[in-house]
Structure formats: structure tokens, C-alpha cells
Amino acid sequence: MDIVLSGIRPTGNLHLGNYLGALKNFTKMQHENTCYFFIADYHSLTTHPTPQNLQGNVKQALVEYLAAGLDPEIATIFVQSDLPETAELYLLLNMNAYMGELERVTTFKEKARKQPQNINAGLLTYPTLMAADILIHRAHKVPVGKDQEQHLEMTRTFARRFNRMYNAEIFPEPVAYNFGEELVKIPGLDGSAKMSKSDDENSAIFLADEPEAIRKKVMRAVTDAGPTVKNSPKPEPVENLFTLMKAVSQPETVQYFDDKYNSCEIRYGDMKKQLAEDMILFTAPIREKIKELKANDTYIRKVMDMGKEKAHVSGAATVRLVREIIGFRPY
Ligand code: ADP
Ligand code: TRP
């Protein structure tokens, strides 16, 4: 069985795009592979969160992932810093990571531009830490978005380099895991092509949003004055509204409004009302689960402990082997 691993940055709440584009697939994947999902709290230190924010964000991320359907009994769900062996592997990999290649990484250059007052070494070596995350479990597949492709490429380079240097076939070269044809892109409510947490707050529907907040955001969604010619093509913001509806509503509902659009009788207010109610219904089970889990610290702690233990079995074994290969042998 393939080993699949993915890291999640504990920043902000999950939105409908995260769920439909990534998480829903993770919940399926966990049954078909040996899966590791972890919360990348070491990585999040590059932006200097306060201890309170760090703790709150890690808990929120874990709660939302569990609420979305990741099963701690099936997959290994853990917090990155609960596997400190990662830090040792990171140190060891850094010995063979070169300044030139790290400085050329697109995400580093972008971050350096965005936070010129805080270009720390952790930012520069972000790809080595990510490689350590992946290689410590000797993962074969890593489900990531396009923005992480370069990091994965570097992970392969570091793996190859290590294997060659020590003439050992210890690390597999991980590949990006795509969800095939099911790849969906959920648009934003502001007319943007992709729902995202970093854009306008009102553009994204978060899994934890209360019904009233969902109604408000959807009613404010961007549309146009309405079609005047029958069967005319839909402008992008309107098309986006239909795409969102397809994701959460019954096919008959989508058909109904599509027919109304084509006959120039559509009332966007009615469509939005329907869309809001369907979104509320669609997210209800996750929203309820989030609330329930948030109030159950005992269970959350239990999940963390269980993940820590499982991650340790695999991670500690790799580091033990790496130490031996490098030459840290007991005399
Ligand atoms: P954001 O864009 O909100 O910062 P991330 O970049 O953290 O989200 O994405 C986390 C995961 O969710 C990735 O796998 C990404 O492909 C997926 N994802 C994010 N936004 C969308 C979207 N609008 N539609 C489909 N998938 C998405
Ligand atoms: N860099 C990833 C992101 O920004 C998060 C991450 C950290 C990760 N370590 C990882 C993803 C290992 C996959 C595998 O989304």
C-alpha cells in the first residue's frame, strides 16, 4: 500500500473550497492508502505567532479536519512538533542543502518580499523542513496544490542526494498526488475564480460559518443586471454562482435556475436565497461536528496522543536508520 502524506498549515479556518477541492478527497484516500496527515506547527513559526494563537490555530485545524471526516483510527493524524525527530532529520538534511538552491525557491522570494523585516533562516530552509516531514515517513505520494510543486521537487533532490551520498536506497522519491478528473475549483462569491481565505473575507464560506453569516455573504455575492437576450452566455460572476450551486444543490434546482436564466426570467435574489439555504444544509453536519469537537478537549487530546504515538513508530525508525547510515554508530 502506498504511503500518502500531507501537511496542513494551521492558519485560518477552512472554507468550502478547501473542503471540496482537497479534504473530501483526503477522507476517501485514507481508506485506500496508509495515510499521514499532520498540522505543520513548526512551519507556522516562520511568521512568529503568539503562543496563544499557535495553540488555538493547531486545535482549530485539527477540529476542522476531524469534522470533515478524517478518521484518527484509520489515518495517522498528528501535530508536527509531536514528532521532534523531524527536527533532527531537518538538521541532517540541511547539511546537504545549498544556499543557492534555497534562495532560488519561488515561495522564499515571495515571502521575503512580503515580510522584509523578518527574512529568517526558517523561511529559507522551509523546503528542507518540508522534505524532512515527507522523508521521515518515507512517503510515496504527497497531495499538494500547484504552489507546492517546487518544494516537492526539492524533496526529491534531497532524497536522491542522500541516497547517492551514502549509497543507500533509504528514501523513495515522492510524487505529487493528483485527484485525477475529480479536480474541482470552487469560485469565490466576489466574482473571483477561486474561493480563498486570503482575499476578501466575504468571498469565502467557511465550514464553521453560522447560517446567518452564510446568508449575508451569499446575498452580497456579485452578479449583473440580468440577461436580456435568451440563451446568452453567462458572464463570469454569474457562471460562478451556478458553479457554487452545482456543488451544493440538487441537480433539479440548478436546472430550474438555468432555465430561468435562459428565458431571461431569472431573479438573482431568489437564486441566492436558494443557494444560501443549500449551502447551510450542505455544511450543517460539518458545522455541528466542529462545535461538538471544540467542546471536547479530552477527545482532542486523545486524538493528538494517538497520532503522536503512531507517527513516532514510523518516524523514529527512519531517523534511527539515518543515524546509522551517516555513521553515528555506538562504539
Ligand atoms: P487558500 O487558497 O484559502 O489559502 P490553501 O492554499 O491553503 O487555501 O489550500 C489548501 C488546499 O485546498 C489545497 O489543496 C488547495 O488546492 C485546496 N483549495 C483551496 N482553495 C480551493 C478552491 N477554491 N477550490 C478548490 N480547491 C481549493
Ligand atoms: N508547505 C505546505 C503548505 O504550505 C504545508 C506542508 C508542510 C506540507 N510540510 C508538508 C505539505 C509536507 C505536504 C507535505 O501547504
Side-chain angles (χ1 to χ4, degrees):
M1 216 165 13
D2 276 333
I3 297 175
V4 175
L5 172 141
S6 193
I8 300 131
R9 270 171 302 136
T11 51
N13 297 1
L14 289 176
H15 53 71
L16 208 54
N18 297 137
Y19 177 69
L20 291 167
L23 258 171
K24 204 169 147 222
N25 297 308
F26 286 10
T27 63
K28 272 192 240 147
M29 234 156 29
Q30 65 187 353
H31 299 286
E32 294 146 17
N33 304 276
T34 303
C35 284
Y36 292 87
F37 299 110
F38 70 94
I39 311 212
D41 60 346
Y42 279 146
H43 272 116
S44 74
L45 296 185
T46 55
T47 54
H48 299 173
T50 63
Q52 289 81 355
N53 282 344
L54 182 65
Q55 271 173 36
N57 288 343
V58 169
K59 181 183 168 188
Q60 183 69 18
L62 185 60
V63 160
E64 295 200 341
Y65 274 77
L66 295 172
L70 290 189
D71 187 342
E73 302 283 345
I74 299 174
T76 299
I77 306 171
F78 67 105
V79 180
Q80 189 183 28
S81 61
D82 273 339
L83 184 63
E85 286 86 348
T86 307
E88 181 172 355
L89 186 58
Y90 162 68
L91 178 150
L92 299 173
L93 291 174
N94 266 334
M95 301 303 167
N96 300 309
Y98 295 96
M99 283 300 282
E101 61 188 345
L102 293 170
E103 278 167 350
R104 274 196 302 276
V105 176
T106 318
T107 49
F108 172 69
K109 288 193 279 192
E110 252 170 48
K111 290 253 173 69
R113 201 163 16 124
K114 268 196 217 154
Q115 49 184 75
Q117 75 298 350
N118 181 20
I119 310 177
N120 57 64
L123 218 46
L124 181 70
T125 55
Y126 188 109
T128 359
L129 182 53
M130 181 156 159
D133 292 329
I134 299 169
L135 299 178
I136 203 164
H137 296 295
R138 289 183 266 178
H140 304 104
K141 292 175 176 172
V142 182
V144 284
K146 259 226 130 1
D147 59 326
Q148 299 295 315
E149 281 282 2
Q150 197 182 13
H151 291 159
L152 208 54
E153 181 64 51
M154 295 190 72
T155 303
R156 285 192 287 271
T157 304
F158 296 148
R160 216 178 302 126
R161 203 173 275 163
F162 190 95
N163 288 347
R164 199 178 325 115
M165 182 158 177
Y166 294 103
N167 198 19
E169 278 306 311
I170 171 165
F171 297 127
E173 288 183 36
V175 296
Y177 195 56
N178 297 316
F179 306 114
E181 291 138 43
E182 287 175 55
L183 208 63
V184 285
K185 189 159 85 179
I186 303 300
L189 289 167
D190 58 351
S192 63
K194 190 168 168 256
M195 185 177 283
S196 169
K197 62 174 165 275
S198 36
D199 295 344
D200 177 11
E201 270 262 299
N202 293 318
S203 170
I205 298 291
F206 294 98
L207 297 176
D209 274 350
E210 289 295 339
E212 219 23 67
I214 297 180
R215 287 192 191 100
K216 237 190 215 151
K217 287 185 201 176
V218 175
M219 292 317 283
R220 266 197 237 126
V222 177
T223 49
D224 64 358
T228 49
V229 180
K230 285 189 179 174
N231 298 316
S232 47
K234 301 182 181 87
E236 202 177 320
V238 178
E239 184 67 55
N240 287 351
L241 221 52
F242 274 93
T243 305
L244 284 166
M245 196 170 229
K246 274 183 211 145
V248 298
S249 305
Q250 297 297 325
E252 306 84 67
T253 310
V254 184
Q255 189 65 51
Y256 173 84
F257 286 102
D258 199 45
D259 291 345
K260 287 278 180 208
Y261 183 88
N262 285 329
S263 59
C264 302
E265 294 168 309
I266 191 151
R267 283 165 43 180
Y268 290 127
D270 292 348
M271 182 178 177
K272 287 180 186 174
K273 262 189 208 142
Q274 181 69 45
L275 177 60
E277 294 316 310
D278 288 345
M279 277 185 172
I280 291 166
L281 218 59
F282 184 87
T283 49
I286 305 178
R287 182 168 46 252
E288 293 312 314
K289 196 88 195 148
I290 289 175
K291 277 192 213 156
E292 188 188 313
L293 289 167
K294 253 184 128 160
N296 194 347
D297 277 336
T298 315
Y299 177 71
I300 294 299
R301 211 167 305 122
K302 195 180 131 202
V303 169
M304 284 187 181
D305 287 346
M306 198 158 69
K308 179 176 173 172
E309 207 167 293
K310 287 202 270 179
H312 178 80
V313 172
S314 150
T318 304
V319 172
R320 212 178 303 123
L321 203 57
V322 165
R323 286 176 138 261
E324 207 176 292
I325 289 171
I326 288 181
F328 292 127
R329 287 193 183 83
Y331 291 97

